[in-house]
PDB file of all heavy atoms in Angstrom:
ATOM      1  N   PHE A 154     125.562 117.027 120.643  1.00  0.00           N
ATOM      2  CA  PHE A 154     125.963 115.779 120.031  1.00  0.00           C
ATOM      3  C   PHE A 154     126.876 115.127 121.017  1.00  0.00           C
ATOM      4  O   PHE A 154     127.942 115.603 121.367  1.00  0.00           O
ATOM      5  CB  PHE A 154     126.605 115.958 118.635  1.00  0.00           C
ATOM      6  CG  PHE A 154     126.902 114.647 117.940  1.00  0.00           C
ATOM      7  CD1 PHE A 154     125.926 113.804 117.632  1.00  0.00           C
ATOM      8  CD2 PHE A 154     128.189 114.480 117.585  1.00  0.00           C
ATOM      9  CE1 PHE A 154     126.223 112.597 116.998  1.00  0.00           C
ATOM     10  CE2 PHE A 154     128.529 113.134 116.992  1.00  0.00           C
ATOM     11  CZ  PHE A 154     127.583 112.374 116.667  1.00  0.00           C
ATOM     12  N   GLU A 155     126.474 113.866 121.249  1.00  0.00           N
ATOM     13  CA  GLU A 155     127.314 113.065 122.288  1.00  0.00           C
ATOM     14  C   GLU A 155     127.564 113.796 123.414  1.00  0.00           C
ATOM     15  O   GLU A 155     128.817 113.918 123.846  1.00  0.00           O
ATOM     16  CB  GLU A 155     128.655 112.570 121.533  1.00  0.00           C
ATOM     17  CG  GLU A 155     128.276 111.481 120.390  1.00  0.00           C
ATOM     18  CD  GLU A 155     129.398 110.990 119.684  1.00  0.00           C
ATOM     19  OE1 GLU A 155     130.505 111.613 119.789  1.00  0.00           O
ATOM     20  OE2 GLU A 155     129.287 110.004 118.903  1.00  0.00           O
ATOM     21  N   TRP A 188     129.815 119.063 110.346  1.00  0.00           N
ATOM     22  CA  TRP A 188     128.754 119.456 109.397  1.00  0.00           C
ATOM     23  C   TRP A 188     127.412 118.780 109.884  1.00  0.00           C
ATOM     24  O   TRP A 188     127.420 117.547 110.184  1.00  0.00           O
ATOM     25  CB  TRP A 188     129.090 119.144 108.094  1.00  0.00           C
ATOM     26  CG  TRP A 188     130.275 119.825 107.568  1.00  0.00           C
ATOM     27  CD1 TRP A 188     131.644 119.548 107.684  1.00  0.00           C
ATOM     28  CD2 TRP A 188     130.317 121.126 106.905  1.00  0.00           C
ATOM     29  NE1 TRP A 188     132.455 120.411 107.093  1.00  0.00           N
ATOM     30  CE2 TRP A 188     131.647 121.340 106.650  1.00  0.00           C
ATOM     31  CE3 TRP A 188     129.330 122.060 106.472  1.00  0.00           C
ATOM     32  CZ2 TRP A 188     132.080 122.534 105.862  1.00  0.00           C
ATOM     33  CZ3 TRP A 188     129.724 123.146 105.818  1.00  0.00           C
ATOM     34  CH2 TRP A 188     130.996 123.488 105.440  1.00  0.00           C
ATOM     35  N   ILE A 189     126.319 119.571 109.752  1.00  0.00           N
ATOM     36  CA  ILE A 189     124.963 119.021 109.917  1.00  0.00           C
ATOM     37  C   ILE A 189     124.424 119.099 108.455  1.00  0.00           C
ATOM     38  O   ILE A 189     124.105 120.265 107.967  1.00  0.00           O
ATOM     39  CB  ILE A 189     124.190 119.613 110.983  1.00  0.00           C
ATOM     40  CG1 ILE A 189     124.679 119.293 112.348  1.00  0.00           C
ATOM     41  CG2 ILE A 189     122.689 119.241 110.891  1.00  0.00           C
ATOM     42  CD1 ILE A 189     123.940 119.794 113.553  1.00  0.00           C
ATOM     43  N   GLY A 190     124.127 117.931 107.948  1.00  0.00           N
ATOM     44  CA  GLY A 190     123.471 117.999 106.660  1.00  0.00           C
ATOM     45  C   GLY A 190     121.833 118.111 106.998  1.00  0.00           C
ATOM     46  O   GLY A 190     121.336 117.225 107.767  1.00  0.00           O
ATOM     47  N   PHE A 196     118.280 114.916 109.446  1.00  0.00           N
ATOM     48  CA  PHE A 196     119.571 115.548 109.982  1.00  0.00           C
ATOM     49  C   PHE A 196     120.700 114.538 110.099  1.00  0.00           C
ATOM     50  O   PHE A 196     120.681 113.515 110.724  1.00  0.00           O
ATOM     51  CB  PHE A 196     119.429 116.321 111.217  1.00  0.00           C
ATOM     52  CG  PHE A 196     118.380 117.291 111.075  1.00  0.00           C
ATOM     53  CD1 PHE A 196     116.962 117.092 111.301  1.00  0.00           C
ATOM     54  CD2 PHE A 196     118.691 118.593 110.608  1.00  0.00           C
ATOM     55  CE1 PHE A 196     115.980 118.009 111.073  1.00  0.00           C
ATOM     56  CE2 PHE A 196     117.677 119.665 110.597  1.00  0.00           C
ATOM     57  CZ  PHE A 196     116.347 119.402 110.763  1.00  0.00           C
ATOM     58  N   SER A 197     121.828 114.765 109.395  1.00  0.00           N
ATOM     59  CA  SER A 197     122.965 113.922 109.634  1.00  0.00           C
ATOM     60  C   SER A 197     124.129 114.767 110.191  1.00  0.00           C
ATOM     61  O   SER A 197     124.171 115.959 109.915  1.00  0.00           O
ATOM     62  CB  SER A 197     123.552 113.473 108.200  1.00  0.00           C
ATOM     63  OG  SER A 197     123.914 114.498 107.446  1.00  0.00           O
ATOM     64  N   ILE A 198     124.950 114.170 111.037  1.00  0.00           N
ATOM     65  CA  ILE A 198     126.156 114.923 111.432  1.00  0.00           C
ATOM     66  C   ILE A 198     127.242 114.238 111.165  1.00  0.00           C
ATOM     67  O   ILE A 198     127.356 113.066 111.164  1.00  0.00           O
ATOM     68  CB  ILE A 198     125.978 115.162 113.036  1.00  0.00           C
ATOM     69  CG1 ILE A 198     127.106 116.145 113.528  1.00  0.00           C
ATOM     70  CG2 ILE A 198     126.069 113.872 113.785  1.00  0.00           C
ATOM     71  CD1 ILE A 198     126.896 116.647 115.024  1.00  0.00           C
ATOM     72  N   SER A 199     128.391 114.887 110.726  1.00  0.00           N
ATOM     73  CA  SER A 199     129.466 114.154 110.227  1.00  0.00           C
ATOM     74  C   SER A 199     130.775 115.076 110.436  1.00  0.00           C
ATOM     75  O   SER A 199     130.646 116.255 110.545  1.00  0.00           O
ATOM     76  CB  SER A 199     129.502 113.898 108.817  1.00  0.00           C
ATOM     77  OG  SER A 199     129.235 115.027 107.978  1.00  0.00           O
ATOM     78  N   PHE A 200     131.862 114.396 110.582  1.00  0.00           N
ATOM     79  CA  PHE A 200     133.197 115.045 110.787  1.00  0.00           C
ATOM     80  C   PHE A 200     134.139 114.498 109.729  1.00  0.00           C
ATOM     81  O   PHE A 200     134.176 113.328 109.429  1.00  0.00           O
ATOM     82  CB  PHE A 200     133.660 114.720 112.186  1.00  0.00           C
ATOM     83  CG  PHE A 200     132.731 115.187 113.217  1.00  0.00           C
ATOM     84  CD1 PHE A 200     131.698 114.414 113.730  1.00  0.00           C
ATOM     85  CD2 PHE A 200     132.905 116.594 113.824  1.00  0.00           C
ATOM     86  CE1 PHE A 200     130.829 114.973 114.690  1.00  0.00           C
ATOM     87  CE2 PHE A 200     132.098 116.960 114.734  1.00  0.00           C
ATOM     88  CZ  PHE A 200     131.049 116.229 115.179  1.00  0.00           C
ATOM     89  N   LEU A 243     129.308 100.555 104.602  1.00  0.00           N
ATOM     90  CA  LEU A 243     128.272 101.504 104.260  1.00  0.00           C
ATOM     91  C   LEU A 243     127.763 101.252 102.780  1.00  0.00           C
ATOM     92  O   LEU A 243     128.534 100.556 101.904  1.00  0.00           O
ATOM     93  CB  LEU A 243     128.744 102.862 104.276  1.00  0.00           C
ATOM     94  CG  LEU A 243     129.325 103.425 105.737  1.00  0.00           C
ATOM     95  CD1 LEU A 243     130.053 104.696 105.549  1.00  0.00           C
ATOM     96  CD2 LEU A 243     128.044 103.490 106.694  1.00  0.00           C
ATOM     97  N   CYS A 275     126.350 107.960 101.925  1.00  0.00           N
ATOM     98  CA  CYS A 275     126.388 106.512 102.182  1.00  0.00           C
ATOM     99  C   CYS A 275     125.701 106.320 103.581  1.00  0.00           C
ATOM    100  O   CYS A 275     125.822 107.163 104.468  1.00  0.00           O
ATOM    101  CB  CYS A 275     127.833 105.900 102.278  1.00  0.00           C
ATOM    102  SG  CYS A 275     128.857 106.499 100.911  1.00  0.00           S
ATOM    103  N   VAL A 276     124.967 105.165 103.723  1.00  0.00           N
ATOM    104  CA  VAL A 276     124.393 104.742 104.964  1.00  0.00           C
ATOM    105  C   VAL A 276     124.773 103.450 105.443  1.00  0.00           C
ATOM    106  O   VAL A 276     125.087 102.578 104.606  1.00  0.00           O
ATOM    107  CB  VAL A 276     122.756 105.043 104.938  1.00  0.00           C
ATOM    108  CG1 VAL A 276     122.419 106.327 104.708  1.00  0.00           C
ATOM    109  CG2 VAL A 276     122.193 104.070 103.913  1.00  0.00           C
ATOM    110  N   GLY A 277     124.693 103.169 106.717  1.00  0.00           N
ATOM    111  CA  GLY A 277     125.029 101.913 107.324  1.00  0.00           C
ATOM    112  C   GLY A 277     123.841 101.362 107.930  1.00  0.00           C
ATOM    113  O   GLY A 277     122.740 102.026 107.953  1.00  0.00           O
ATOM    114  N   LYS A 278     123.910 100.085 108.336  1.00  0.00           N
ATOM    115  CA  LYS A 278     122.641  99.390 108.883  1.00  0.00           C
ATOM    116  C   LYS A 278     122.126 100.081 110.121  1.00  0.00           C
ATOM    117  O   LYS A 278     120.875 100.067 110.409  1.00  0.00           O
ATOM    118  CB  LYS A 278     123.035  97.878 109.296  1.00  0.00           C
ATOM    119  CG  LYS A 278     122.986  97.085 108.148  1.00  0.00           C
ATOM    120  CD  LYS A 278     123.160  95.555 108.493  1.00  0.00           C
ATOM    121  CE  LYS A 278     124.586  95.219 108.763  1.00  0.00           C
ATOM    122  NZ  LYS A 278     124.894  93.822 108.959  1.00  0.00           N
ATOM    123  N   GLU A 279     123.090 100.742 110.995  1.00  0.00           N
ATOM    124  CA  GLU A 279     122.502 101.208 112.229  1.00  0.00           C
ATOM    125  C   GLU A 279     122.402 102.847 112.210  1.00  0.00           C
ATOM    126  O   GLU A 279     122.528 103.525 113.085  1.00  0.00           O
ATOM    127  CB  GLU A 279     123.465 100.931 113.389  1.00  0.00           C
ATOM    128  CG  GLU A 279     123.833  99.291 113.528  1.00  0.00           C
ATOM    129  CD  GLU A 279     122.493  98.731 113.840  1.00  0.00           C
ATOM    130  OE1 GLU A 279     121.709  99.210 114.491  1.00  0.00           O
ATOM    131  OE2 GLU A 279     122.424  97.509 113.387  1.00  0.00           O
ATOM    132  N   GLY A 280     122.302 103.332 110.898  1.00  0.00           N
ATOM    133  CA  GLY A 280     122.084 104.816 110.774  1.00  0.00           C
ATOM    134  C   GLY A 280     123.379 105.553 110.644  1.00  0.00           C
ATOM    135  O   GLY A 280     123.365 106.751 110.786  1.00  0.00           O
ATOM    136  N   GLU A 281     124.534 104.738 110.399  1.00  0.00           N
ATOM    137  CA  GLU A 281     125.749 105.399 110.191  1.00  0.00           C
ATOM    138  C   GLU A 281     125.719 106.086 108.819  1.00  0.00           C
ATOM    139  O   GLU A 281     124.986 105.790 107.922  1.00  0.00           O
ATOM    140  CB  GLU A 281     126.971 104.380 110.030  1.00  0.00           C
ATOM    141  CG  GLU A 281     127.173 103.474 111.419  1.00  0.00           C
ATOM    142  CD  GLU A 281     126.340 102.116 111.189  1.00  0.00           C
ATOM    143  OE1 GLU A 281     125.327 102.075 110.490  1.00  0.00           O
ATOM    144  OE2 GLU A 281     126.803 101.298 111.896  1.00  0.00           O
ATOM    145  N   PHE A 282     126.257 107.300 108.822  1.00  0.00           N
ATOM    146  CA  PHE A 282     126.238 108.122 107.648  1.00  0.00           C
ATOM    147  C   PHE A 282     127.649 108.591 107.273  1.00  0.00           C
ATOM    148  O   PHE A 282     128.582 108.769 108.024  1.00  0.00           O
ATOM    149  CB  PHE A 282     125.448 109.343 107.972  1.00  0.00           C
ATOM    150  CG  PHE A 282     125.548 110.511 106.977  1.00  0.00           C
ATOM    151  CD1 PHE A 282     124.727 110.381 105.874  1.00  0.00           C
ATOM    152  CD2 PHE A 282     126.372 111.649 107.141  1.00  0.00           C
ATOM    153  CE1 PHE A 282     124.809 111.476 104.913  1.00  0.00           C
ATOM    154  CE2 PHE A 282     126.378 112.625 106.203  1.00  0.00           C
ATOM    155  CZ  PHE A 282     125.665 112.524 105.139  1.00  0.00           C
ATOM    156  N   ALA A 283     127.822 108.674 105.870  1.00  0.00           N
ATOM    157  CA  ALA A 283     129.194 109.192 105.362  1.00  0.00           C
ATOM    158  C   ALA A 283     128.803 110.053 104.079  1.00  0.00           C
ATOM    159  O   ALA A 283     127.845 109.626 103.355  1.00  0.00           O
ATOM    160  CB  ALA A 283     130.183 108.250 105.175  1.00  0.00           C
ATOM    161  N   TYR A 295     133.559 112.556 104.897  1.00  0.00           N
ATOM    162  CA  TYR A 295     133.028 112.947 106.195  1.00  0.00           C
ATOM    163  C   TYR A 295     132.228 111.903 106.831  1.00  0.00           C
ATOM    164  O   TYR A 295     131.295 111.227 106.034  1.00  0.00           O
ATOM    165  CB  TYR A 295     132.155 114.193 106.096  1.00  0.00           C
ATOM    166  CG  TYR A 295     132.809 115.429 105.463  1.00  0.00           C
ATOM    167  CD1 TYR A 295     132.801 115.561 104.113  1.00  0.00           C
ATOM    168  CD2 TYR A 295     133.410 116.375 106.219  1.00  0.00           C
ATOM    169  CE1 TYR A 295     133.446 116.610 103.469  1.00  0.00           C
ATOM    170  CE2 TYR A 295     133.980 117.526 105.685  1.00  0.00           C
ATOM    171  CZ  TYR A 295     134.070 117.578 104.312  1.00  0.00           C
ATOM    172  OH  TYR A 295     134.670 118.644 103.692  1.00  0.00           O
ATOM    173  N   VAL A 296     132.407 111.473 107.928  1.00  0.00           N
ATOM    174  CA  VAL A 296     131.744 110.306 108.463  1.00  0.00           C
ATOM    175  C   VAL A 296     130.931 110.694 109.835  1.00  0.00           C
ATOM    176  O   VAL A 296     131.506 111.570 110.606  1.00  0.00           O
ATOM    177  CB  VAL A 296     132.570 109.133 108.929  1.00  0.00           C
ATOM    178  CG1 VAL A 296     133.275 108.490 107.639  1.00  0.00           C
ATOM    179  CG2 VAL A 296     133.732 109.512 109.795  1.00  0.00           C
ATOM    180  N   GLY A 297     129.822 110.103 110.005  1.00  0.00           N
ATOM    181  CA  GLY A 297     129.125 110.497 111.216  1.00  0.00           C
ATOM    182  C   GLY A 297     127.762 109.551 111.291  1.00  0.00           C
ATOM    183  O   GLY A 297     127.909 108.360 111.013  1.00  0.00           O
ATOM    184  N   ARG A 298     126.705 110.133 111.552  1.00  0.00           N
ATOM    185  CA  ARG A 298     125.480 109.374 111.662  1.00  0.00           C
ATOM    186  C   ARG A 298     124.159 110.220 111.508  1.00  0.00           C
ATOM    187  O   ARG A 298     124.290 111.519 111.524  1.00  0.00           O
ATOM    188  CB  ARG A 298     125.407 108.664 112.917  1.00  0.00           C
ATOM    189  CG  ARG A 298     125.364 109.483 114.207  1.00  0.00           C
ATOM    190  CD  ARG A 298     125.347 108.647 115.449  1.00  0.00           C
ATOM    191  NE  ARG A 298     124.093 107.617 115.351  1.00  0.00           N
ATOM    192  CZ  ARG A 298     124.249 106.486 115.011  1.00  0.00           C
ATOM    193  NH1 ARG A 298     125.355 105.877 114.745  1.00  0.00           N
ATOM    194  NH2 ARG A 298     123.078 105.708 114.887  1.00  0.00           N
ATOM    195  N   TYR A 299     123.203 109.588 111.314  1.00  0.00           N
ATOM    196  CA  TYR A 299     121.844 110.300 111.228  1.00  0.00           C
ATOM    197  C   TYR A 299     121.360 110.516 112.689  1.00  0.00           C
ATOM    198  O   TYR A 299     121.546 109.632 113.424  1.00  0.00           O
ATOM    199  CB  TYR A 299     120.802 109.530 110.383  1.00  0.00           C
ATOM    200  CG  TYR A 299     120.931 109.833 109.031  1.00  0.00           C
ATOM    201  CD1 TYR A 299     121.403 108.932 108.084  1.00  0.00           C
ATOM    202  CD2 TYR A 299     120.362 111.051 108.447  1.00  0.00           C
ATOM    203  CE1 TYR A 299     121.538 109.250 106.790  1.00  0.00           C
ATOM    204  CE2 TYR A 299     120.332 111.294 107.025  1.00  0.00           C
ATOM    205  CZ  TYR A 299     121.044 110.504 106.264  1.00  0.00           C
ATOM    206  OH  TYR A 299     121.069 110.821 104.840  1.00  0.00           O
ATOM    207  N   VAL A 300     120.700 111.623 112.918  1.00  0.00           N
ATOM    208  CA  VAL A 300     120.377 111.912 114.276  1.00  0.00           C
ATOM    209  C   VAL A 300     118.892 112.535 114.099  1.00  0.00           C
ATOM    210  O   VAL A 300     118.615 113.335 113.245  1.00  0.00           O
ATOM    211  CB  VAL A 300     121.241 112.990 115.066  1.00  0.00           C
ATOM    212  CG1 VAL A 300     120.728 113.315 116.429  1.00  0.00           C
ATOM    213  CG2 VAL A 300     122.667 112.420 115.236  1.00  0.00           C
ATOM    214  N   GLU A 301     118.012 112.072 115.057  1.00  0.00           N
ATOM    215  CA  GLU A 301     116.685 112.582 115.046  1.00  0.00           C
ATOM    216  C   GLU A 301     116.576 113.957 115.527  1.00  0.00           C
ATOM    217  O   GLU A 301     117.459 114.402 116.340  1.00  0.00           O
ATOM    218  CB  GLU A 301     115.648 111.717 115.884  1.00  0.00           C
ATOM    219  CG  GLU A 301     115.425 110.354 115.379  1.00  0.00           C
ATOM    220  CD  GLU A 301     114.625 110.307 114.204  1.00  0.00           C
ATOM    221  OE1 GLU A 301     113.649 111.036 114.118  1.00  0.00           O
ATOM    222  OE2 GLU A 301     114.989 109.562 113.237  1.00  0.00           O
ATOM    223  N   PHE A 305     118.984 116.285 118.975  1.00  0.00           N
ATOM    224  CA  PHE A 305     119.897 117.450 118.983  1.00  0.00           C
ATOM    225  C   PHE A 305     119.713 118.478 120.028  1.00  0.00           C
ATOM    226  O   PHE A 305     120.639 119.267 120.394  1.00  0.00           O
ATOM    227  CB  PHE A 305     119.918 118.142 117.525  1.00  0.00           C
ATOM    228  CG  PHE A 305     120.874 117.492 116.544  1.00  0.00           C
ATOM    229  CD1 PHE A 305     120.311 117.029 115.263  1.00  0.00           C
ATOM    230  CD2 PHE A 305     122.119 117.248 116.787  1.00  0.00           C
ATOM    231  CE1 PHE A 305     121.058 116.468 114.353  1.00  0.00           C
ATOM    232  CE2 PHE A 305     123.013 116.653 115.892  1.00  0.00           C
ATOM    233  CZ  PHE A 305     122.367 116.343 114.634  1.00  0.00           C
TER     234      PHE A 305
ATOM    235  N   ASN B 158     116.762 106.394 107.091  1.00  0.00           N
ATOM    236  CA  ASN B 158     118.225 106.736 106.616  1.00  0.00           C
ATOM    237  C   ASN B 158     119.092 105.828 107.170  1.00  0.00           C
ATOM    238  O   ASN B 158     119.906 105.920 107.857  1.00  0.00           O
ATOM    239  CB  ASN B 158     118.471 108.087 107.262  1.00  0.00           C
ATOM    240  CG  ASN B 158     117.587 109.224 106.679  1.00  0.00           C
ATOM    241  OD1 ASN B 158     117.569 109.356 105.436  1.00  0.00           O
ATOM    242  ND2 ASN B 158     117.016 109.962 107.624  1.00  0.00           N
ATOM    243  N   ARG B 159     118.842 104.524 106.638  1.00  0.00           N
ATOM    244  CA  ARG B 159     119.893 103.442 106.836  1.00  0.00           C
ATOM    245  C   ARG B 159     119.798 102.328 105.886  1.00  0.00           C
ATOM    246  O   ARG B 159     118.872 102.216 105.123  1.00  0.00           O
ATOM    247  CB  ARG B 159     119.457 102.816 108.269  1.00  0.00           C
ATOM    248  CG  ARG B 159     118.199 102.330 108.442  1.00  0.00           C
ATOM    249  CD  ARG B 159     117.911 101.765 109.748  1.00  0.00           C
ATOM    250  NE  ARG B 159     117.997 102.783 110.776  1.00  0.00           N
ATOM    251  CZ  ARG B 159     118.399 102.607 112.081  1.00  0.00           C
ATOM    252  NH1 ARG B 159     118.769 101.415 112.447  1.00  0.00           N
ATOM    253  NH2 ARG B 159     118.484 103.577 113.054  1.00  0.00           N
TER     254      ARG B 159
END
Side-chain angles (χ1 to χ4, degrees):
Chain A
F154 178 63
E155 291 174 349
W188 295 89
I189 287 180
F196 298 89
S197 61
I198 186 165
S199 61
F200 298 89
L243 301 169
C275 310
V276 293
K278 276 190 281 190
E279 306 298 329
E281 300 95 334
F282 167 82
Y295 303 86
V296 294
R298 59 179 307 100
Y299 275 101
V300 176
E301 293 290 317
F305 273 126
Chain B
N158 292 312
R159 55 180 65 207

